Amino acid sequence: CGIVVAGAARNVIMVGKKGVGTTINCTGTGKRAFHLQGGAVLTLSNIVLVGGGQNASSLVLVDPSSSLHATNVTFDSGASPSSGGCLSLLGSATLTHCILTKCSAKAGSGDAVDVVKGMLVMRGGTVEKSSTNGSSVLVRNGGSASLLGVRFTGGALEGVSGAAGDVGTFIMHYGSGALVIDGTTSEQGGAWGPVVFEMADGGGNQLAYNSSTENVTVFNATTNVSKTTRSLEGQAVLKGSVKLANLKVPSGGVWRGNALVQGSVEVDRCQGGIQAALVVRKGVRFDVNGT
């Protein structure tokens, strides 16, 4: 644990045992598993990464221009005092058939992944909700994400942070960075299957998606002055088959934000309190080109 991979010339490949995988256990060390710097590339396959505690500040940290490629990797019990408990992305990551479970962020945002100026591609795999508040995947500061055939799940949430009445969200999207939720099935020409947002019976209050504007600071090198502006609110693009199942909130619907629906959205056993399960609030665009 505490492995730093630095420099553009660094291309590290780690392959674990087939089937059961190989475990890198950082429990009790207070250290993250990997920190990628300066254009480094790390490729992981058949690996289980176990977090080193709240002070580890993310299980894996990927700096700008560096990249992570993970296949059949489980990110387990990553934690951070801020955000991005399992994965903090200022660079890029491609996760294929990966599992993110029991991740936590003390700040309450991005329990599993914090995409801050970086880029996330998930192909298949599962993101498990691990707190009753905050978000599982946080996309902000111009970061972008493409989520293909990903399953977002949550259980009864016993023994985790937050109170029983809290409302959490699977995806929190700040600003106008691109976000594509692609559930294109094999019958539709895709390879990864539908995207599902689903809580188990007895699970906490949960949104599928929430979006908001954010303040962005731009530095002008000519005038040597930084200017803060408010960016536009982002829009999630929904392709293929997307299912919202067994989600509930006290009010306001289980999807809160702009959406461009280019495929189909199924709403099953969702509750929006005194309002409908799916609510399009004032100022929000919910454009449907599909069903």
Side-chain angles (χ1 to χ4, degrees), residues 27-39:
T27 302
T29 65
K31 297 178 180 179
R32 62 173 61 95
F34 295 100
H35 185 179
L36 310 185
Q37 303 175 345

Side-chain angles (χ1 to χ4, degrees), residues 209-211 233-235 255-259 279 281 284-286:
Y209 172 86
N210 198 0
S211 67
E233 184 171 344
Q235 181 182 58
W255 183 282
R256 297 180 185 174
N258 300 315
V279 177
R281 69 177 189 266
V284 165
R285 294 183 58 188
F286 203 92

Side-chain angles (χ1 to χ4, degrees), residues 111-136:
D111 287 334
V113 186
D114 180 12
V115 188
V116 49
K117 299 182 180 178
M119 179 178 67
L120 171 67
V121 177
M122 283 194 71
R123 302 184 293 197
T126 302
V127 177
E128 295 182 359
K129 181 64 181 169
S130 54
S131 68
T132 58
N133 55 12
S135 58
S136 296

Side-chain angles (χ1 to χ4, degrees), residues 1-61:
C1 299
I3 300 171
V4 176
V5 184
R10 299 293 184 183
N11 190 340
V12 176
I13 300 174
M14 299 182 68
V15 180
K17 297 178 182 179
K18 290 185 178 180
V20 296
T22 298
T23 299
I24 299 175
N25 193 338
C26 301
T27 302
T29 65
K31 297 178 180 179
R32 62 173 61 95
F34 295 100
H35 185 179
L36 310 185
Q37 303 175 345
V41 178
L42 174 64
T43 301
L44 302 176
S45 180
N46 300 326
I47 300 288
V48 178
L49 300 177
V50 182
Q54 195 70 249
N55 294 329
S57 298
S58 302
L59 186 52
V60 179
L61 173 60

